[in-house]
């Protein structure tokens, strides 16, 4: 793989909870100077071939990606997989199980909201494997039940709120092992987002590394500028490979593709370890 100046290895399309097609994401990224791109839809690899084709058409390098929903205690942890074989049976079995659990959860959440007089949320489902809380949030805002998207979570969809349902759990070890089995690289996504104290974070990170994880997102649209700097130092001090991604879902949410902040030269880019490199 040729030397990369700007990459975006974390973004979402209509194949999960993003609002743009893979082809539209490629154009956005190219316009922002991105040279290497990945699509990391939640627990879903269905958009990869379209993203790969669009990237080739526009002269961008591409690597397979996925974002797996895992858990550390009661905290949701996301593990991004990069440069893996999307046909791997173990990986696809795990993703299929997570998607099935997600739909069952969505049905239960819809039933709760219906009892509150909010009927029809499941009518928005075009692919039942992919529905999640962001779809519910958008529906609640569009139908006037809340003032905006974010209020959907604070009033109805967060833990302890009337529309919330616990999701079936997947361990960090399961997610990381499935990516490794598929010959990919597990990356701890947006570490600054997790509501863990220092001891809890160290314990969670130990579980990730003992399962075979050796990469961490450093610059990401889910971080503040201060967190970007913090995790640059974290990666450098622990000799971790560094990844970067906007975590783009929609306009005006976090940041545009490629504009999350480039990796500094003091860290080892994860793409130096891609099989194609």
């Amino acid at each position: 793989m040729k030397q990369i100046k700007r990459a975006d290895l974390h973004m979402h399309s209509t194949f999960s909870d993003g609002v743009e097609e893979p082809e539209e994401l490629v154009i956005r990224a190219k316009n922002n100077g991105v040279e290497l791109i990945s699509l990391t839809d939640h627990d879903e690899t269905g958009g990869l071939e379209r993203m790969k084709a669009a990237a080739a058409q526009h002269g961008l390098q591409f690597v397979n990606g996925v974002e797996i929903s895992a858990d550390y205690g009661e905290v949701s942890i996301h593990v991004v997989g990069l440069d893996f074989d999307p046909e791997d049976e173990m990986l696809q079995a795990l993703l299929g199980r997570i998607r099935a659990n997600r739909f069952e959860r969505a049905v239960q959440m819809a039933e709760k909201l219906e009892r509150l007089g909010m009927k029809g949320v499941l009518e928005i489902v075009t692919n039942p494997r992919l529905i999640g809380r962001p779809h519910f949030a958008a529906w609640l805002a569009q139908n006037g039940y809340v003032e905006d998207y974010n209020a959907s979570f604070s009033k109805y969809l967060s833990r302890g709120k009337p529309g919330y349902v616990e999701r079936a759990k997947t361990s960090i070890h399961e997610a990381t092992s499935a990516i490794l089995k598929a010959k990919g690289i597990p990356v701890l996504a947006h570490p600054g987002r997790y509501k863990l104290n220092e001891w809890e974070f160290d314990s969670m990170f130990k579980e990730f590394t003992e399962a075979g994880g050796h990469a961490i997102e450093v610059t990401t649209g889910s971080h503040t500028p201060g967190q970007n700097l913090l995790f640059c130092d974290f990666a450098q001090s622990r000799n971790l490979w560094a990844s970067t991604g906007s975590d783009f879902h929609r306009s005006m949410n976090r940041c545009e593709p490629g504009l999350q902040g480039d990796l500094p030269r003091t860290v080892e880019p994860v793409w130096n370890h891609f099989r194609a490199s």
Side-chain angles (χ1 to χ4, degrees), residues 135-155:
H135 298 94
F136 281 76
W139 182 87
L140 288 169
Q142 290 167 5
N143 286 275
Y145 293 113
V146 292
E147 55 269 29
D148 58 35
Y149 176 88
N150 291 329
S152 300
F153 291 92
S154 61
K155 291 186 177 181

Side-chain angles (χ1 to χ4, degrees), residues 110-132:
E111 290 172 348
K112 280 194 165 189
L113 293 176
E114 187 168 335
R115 288 196 289 270
L116 296 173
M118 305 172 189
K119 299 181 179 181
V121 61
L122 290 182
E123 294 175 3
I124 66 172
V125 180
T126 56
N127 187 340
R129 300 179 304 167
L130 304 178
I131 189 169

Side-chain angles (χ1 to χ4, degrees), residues 90-110:
M90 178 177 169
L91 176 63
Q92 288 301 334
L94 175 63
L95 299 181
R97 189 190 80 198
I98 295 172
R99 292 194 300 265
N101 290 337
R102 177 183 289 113
F103 180 63
E104 177 59 30
R105 182 194 192 200
V107 170
Q108 295 177 29
M109 290 174 65

